[in-house]
Amino acid sequence: MSAVRAVNPVIRGFAPDPSVIRVGDWYHLATSSFEWFPTIPLFRSRDLASWEPAGAVDTAVPGRSLLGVPDSGGIWAPALSHADGVFWVVYSVVRSVGTRFFDLTTYVSITDDVTGPWSEPVRVPGHGFDPSLLHHDGRHYLLNLQNDSRVGGRRFDGIVLTELGVPKPGGRPDASRIHAIGPTRLLLQREELVEGPKITAKDGWFYLLLAQGGTGVEHGVLVARSRSLTGPYEVDAVPLLTTRDDRGVPLQKAGHGELVQAPSGAWFLSHLASRPLETEQGPRNPLGRETAIQRVEWVDGWPRLAHGGWHPAVEIDVTDAVTVSDDAVVAAVGPSEEDMGSDGFGTVPGWPWSTLREPAGDWLDRTSRPGYVRLVGRMGPESLWQQSLLAQRLTEHHAEVEVTVEASPVTFTQSAGLVLYYNTTSYLQLHLTWAEPAGQPQAGQQWRGVGRRVLRLEHGRPEDARVVAEVDAPSGPVRLAARIDGGTARMFAGTAGGELHPVGPDLDFTDLSDDFGPRLRFTGALAGISVVDLVEGTFHADFTGWALRQTAAPQWRSAGWAAS
């Protein structure tokens, strides 16, 4: 077999908190989805280098709704496992961000086939977010961060363990009857911030992997070990993984790790990392946190990066991770051009498309007009509730996106078009809408029907949105486009099939990043289409000609920064 090399990130763009397991010939991986649907995207691979979509845990949220959850709330850090012949996932639904109370609920779901269907979620103790499961000697344990929500308490107050009772009629776990048994035990408590606990049992040791230092530039993976599951745990003197000591390492924010073993016996670490853009305000990461893989060796009973030190490598050899002998082990991630169809929307509403806070419903119409996607307008881009928005993750720092829209707005409360979106306080929206006649002041609804069709470019920011540009729209279908070049975005418009012309100036695309604004932010930038109707919810727009072309920056296309 020819050598197989993985270039990090192996899953690119808004794919944080990876949890990886191997079952037979397949590696399976889950990532956080936060306020976006599909909930808990799943991927699979036979070599750790090339990953393909493998569905999602569609039943993760009771009622299939995250309406009202704050930006970067929702589903945090799911953990996959496999035991008793079934797949397990445990995760928390977080409904408050940046408060003493996370207002979270923690759930477990199981399935015979990772592609689904998954069982209805069952609530288990939720001491904090980032739970995981350990299946050992026929017993099941829930690991959790402990949050002390009292005034003066610590939000990251140690790692706790609770045994779960799992009835198994006929030998198969009954997910509906999972419950806590026995006392909750404190495994480890430190002054520093630790979260995301995962336990690997190896050679008579229990290895506790911890996400250390928060999920920003101080992030890392810390390891502790014990001969007993319940401790005491000895903490490693050095981190397994971090970039906090060197802001020049290409993959920053490296942390939140989990170990997995290949059939060859080789060990690997999945973790999150980001590819920052350097700006005058410091590093910013519009692509969010992404999934990476590292080789691991065991030295004196501790896991160490195989290439030495604790900085992540961009390129690693994963030949001994391959689970089959065929060189063509998996398909490329994402749909092919043929899958996307003549209108570019072929997989709608399936992956790689995402929707906000609820799955696609009757506001998305794929059948009324063949060759088009019709969206019915609902709330605006700053709503935590019902947005008619359909988007794809951005995975590279250079991208071109375009779409053609047909709509006839007759009031300022109706609009439709293209959007680059991070969250309700960070977006760039180029919409076809209505405005008063030229020269007249903004004066509310003009019931006489007098007005004009315009293209309005808005820049959403935490302090307030601002109108960047407003120009008369051409008649008929309108072609909209955006070009992203590193930290700069530029919007364009023109007639269908005609030449594109700039709308507004160059804009700071890094506003759409984890590192912008006063609040915690955990997702990533997406490109998509949206429709607004604030009054009646009946205005619709038809879209066709969707295209999203992304290009890796030169250093991310090369074989640079390889592990030695």
Side-chain angles (χ1 to χ4, degrees), residues 479-498:
R479 182 182 172 204
L480 305 175
R483 293 176 186 166
I484 300 163
D485 184 11
T488 300
R490 192 76 183 268
M491 311 296 277
F492 299 84
T495 58

Side-chain angles (χ1 to χ4, degrees), residues 175-480:
S176 67
R177 296 165 59 194
I178 295 173
H179 59 283
I181 58 175
T184 293
R185 300 176 181 272
L186 179 67
L187 299 189
L188 185 71
Q189 203 167 37
R190 292 175 66 82
E191 289 299 319
E192 66 183 331
L193 188 160
V194 291
E195 55 187 320
K198 305 283 198 309
I199 286 183
T200 297
K202 180 181 183 296
D203 299 334
W205 289 96
F206 293 95
Y207 290 91
L208 174 61
L209 269 69
L210 299 164
Q212 180 187 26
T215 195
V217 294
E218 299 298 317
H219 207 21
V221 178
L222 184 68
V223 182
R225 69 179 184 180
S226 175
R227 288 292 188 183
S228 168
L229 174 60
T230 56
Y233 279 83
E234 171 194 6
V235 177
D236 196 357
V238 298
L240 172 57
L241 178 78
T242 189
T243 52
R244 71 172 68 94
D245 60 326
D246 188 348
R247 301 297 163 81
V249 176
L251 294 170
Q252 286 288 310
K253 297 186 178 181
H256 199 103
E258 184 167 19
L259 293 168
V260 66
Q261 189 176 24
S264 65
W267 286 85
F268 296 86
L269 176 77
S270 69
H271 67 93
L272 67 79
S274 64
R275 292 176 284 163
L277 294 171
E278 293 300 328
T279 74
E280 293 180 356
Q281 297 78 29
R284 288 186 175 176
N285 296 270
L287 302 181
R289 298 165 302 150
E290 309 172 276
T291 290
I293 297 289
Q294 305 297 326
R295 292 183 59 85
V296 168
E297 293 179 348
W298 295 85
V299 180
D300 298 328
W302 292 101
R304 298 281 185 259
L305 297 185
H307 58 270
W310 46 75
H311 295 161
V314 171
E315 184 177 337
I316 64 168
D317 187 341
V318 293
T319 306
D320 53 1
V322 175
T323 61
V324 294
S325 59
D326 187 352
D327 283 341
V329 287
V330 289
V333 173
S336 66
E337 291 185 9
E338 290 77 13
D339 293 332
M340 296 307 290
S342 59
D343 59 6
F345 290 106
T347 61
V348 167
W351 190 266
W353 296 99
S354 292
T355 56
L356 266 175
R357 294 180 173 83
E358 61 180 345
D362 57 7
W363 52 270
L364 192 157
D365 180 354
R366 197 75 173 91
T367 60
S368 290
R369 190 178 179 189
Y372 290 79
V373 166
R374 174 170 293 177
L375 300 187
V376 178
R378 299 186 298 168
M379 297 177 184
E382 298 177 13
S383 174
L384 299 177
W385 299 89
Q386 296 175 322
Q387 288 200 44
S388 297
L389 186 153
L390 184 66
Q392 292 186 20
R393 286 158 168 77
L394 292 171
T395 61
E396 303 296 346
H397 288 126
H398 300 275
E400 295 181 355
V401 56
E402 69 173 77
V403 71
T404 296
V405 58
E406 294 186 36
S408 300
V410 294
T411 164
F412 67 91
T413 60
Q414 300 171 345
S415 70
L418 179 67
V419 63
L420 303 178
Y421 195 87
Y422 184 94
N423 65 15
T424 61
T425 65
S426 293
Y427 59 87
L428 300 172
Q429 178 178 277
L430 181 58
H431 266 209
L432 181 66
T433 186
W434 175 97
E436 290 82 359
Q440 289 193 11
Q442 189 170 294
Q445 176 64 55
Q446 303 297 304
W447 294 107
R448 299 187 306 276
V450 177
R452 59 198 173 105
R453 216 171 65 142
V454 299
L455 288 166
R456 175 173 290 178
L457 174 57
E458 293 186 358
H459 186 176
R461 294 170 62 88
E463 64 274 14
D464 202 2
R466 62 189 178 99
V467 176
V468 177
E470 184 176 284
V471 298
D472 288 334
S475 60
V478 180
R479 182 182 172 204
L480 305 175

Side-chain angles (χ1 to χ4, degrees), residues 57 59 80-91 107-114 116-122 133 135 140 166-167 172-178:
V57 186
T59 58
L80 285 176
S81 55
H82 188 267
D84 298 324
V86 299
F87 292 88
W88 305 63
V89 65
V90 61
Y91 54 93
Y107 298 99
V108 170
S109 180
I110 68 171
T111 184
D112 296 308
D113 185 337
V114 75
W118 288 81
S119 66
E120 288 297 316
V122 172
L133 294 174
H135 311 280
H140 308 272
V166 183
R172 186 186 187 278
D174 181 354
S176 67
R177 296 165 59 194
I178 295 173

